[in-house]
């Protein structure tokens, strides 16, 4: 049994547009905090802010209520302080999130610390004693007197989902499929011209 030309074109189109390994696509969120203008001590400036990214292996579940979630990686920075999933100490840290019915982040309680060597907090949730809203950063006490090298604000930042970037294998499959479509179009034109 042979495929007709239309069948080959349809197969090539399906091959070009087929998703590859969709289950492996990481979900990346970017965080942008407000300026640390409420209180900033050297080495921080009131214009510094907390920025970062956090990567999850899968989309967040719906209706989480400040629950710990597994992460692939993270990186947060504020002025001179930076914390990553490679440098933090899990014993002194927490990564808790709340989500709505669609799985969008609505509240968070994030503390990433290196156990006395610096810490970044980003919070936006209501606790028993009231709202915890804002960002805070401290550097390690070995460089500065304890309690003096910190900055904070009382303004919630924002998590936004980063645009998905296709994996190289996805690009390869799409290019191969489009090449197949181009070849079929070329053959069709060539056979039409020779028949005329």
């Amino acid at each position: 049994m042979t495929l007709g030309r239309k069948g080959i074109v349809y197969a090539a189109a399906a091959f070009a547009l087929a998703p590859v390994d969709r289950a492996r696509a990481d979900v990346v969120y970017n965080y942008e905090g407000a300026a640390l203008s409420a209180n900033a001590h050297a080495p921080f400036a009131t214009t510094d802010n907390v920025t970062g990214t956090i990567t999850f292996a899968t989309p967040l579940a719906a209706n989480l209520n400040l629950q710990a979630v597994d992460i692939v990686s993270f990186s947060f920075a504020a002025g001179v302080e930076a914390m990553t999933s490679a440098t933090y100490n899990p014993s002194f840290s927490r990564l808790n999130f709340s989500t709505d019915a669609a799985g969008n982040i609505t509240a968070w309680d994030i503390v990433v610390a290196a156990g006395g060597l610096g810490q970044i907090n980003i919070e936006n949730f209501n606790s028993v004693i009231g709202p915890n809203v804002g960002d805070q950063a401290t550097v390690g006490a070995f460089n500065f007197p304890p309690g003096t090298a910190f900055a904070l604000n009382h303004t919630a930042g924002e998590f936004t989902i980063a645009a998905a970037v296709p994996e190289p294998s996805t690009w390869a499959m799409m290019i191969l499929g489009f090449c197949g479509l181009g070849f079929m179009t070329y053959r069709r034109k060539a056979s039409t011209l020779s028949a005329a």
Side-chain angles (χ1 to χ4, degrees):
M1 180 178 149
T2 61
L3 284 175
R5 286 186 182 155
K6 277 188 178 179
I8 292 173
V9 169
Y10 290 138
F15 186 68
L17 301 174
V20 177
D21 203 9
R22 180 176 282 174
R24 276 195 18 117
D26 292 340
V27 180
V28 179
Y29 286 87
N30 294 323
Y31 180 79
E32 183 76 28
L36 298 170
S37 57
N39 202 344
H41 300 275
F44 296 103
T46 55
T47 55
D48 290 339
N49 67 321
V50 176
T51 60
T53 61
I54 189 163
T55 304
F56 303 97
T58 59
L60 292 174
N63 301 316
L64 296 176
N65 186 15
L66 287 180
Q67 291 177 322
V69 295
D70 293 329
I71 57 146
V72 173
S73 65
F74 69 80
S75 174
F76 291 103
V80 298
E81 187 61 83
M83 290 285 161
T84 69
S85 48
T87 60
Y88 86 119
N89 184 335
S91 300
F92 297 101
S93 305
R94 64 181 173 267
L95 297 153
N96 300 329
F97 292 90
S98 293
T99 58
D100 61 15
N104 300 313
I105 296 175
T106 57
W108 53 89
D109 178 18
I110 299 172
V111 176
V112 289
L117 302 176
Q119 180 170 318
I120 294 177
N121 300 10
I122 56 176
E123 301 170 325
N124 180 22
F125 69 97
N126 288 318
S127 69
V128 176
I129 58 172
N132 287 327
V133 175
D135 304 330
Q136 179 177 339
T138 59
V139 295
F142 65 89
N143 286 334
F144 298 91
T148 63
F150 70 93
L152 58 95
N153 66 31
H154 299 290
T155 307
E158 182 178 7
F159 275 101
T160 55
I161 193 160
V165 178
E167 292 184 18
S169 61
T170 303
W171 282 109
M173 294 294 280
M174 286 180 14
I175 290 169
L176 189 61
F178 286 127
C179 287
L181 285 172
F183 179 73
M184 291 307 301
T185 304
Y186 168 77
R187 289 207 36 179
R188 178 180 291 160
K189 284 183 182 178
S191 67
T192 305
L193 289 175
S194 64

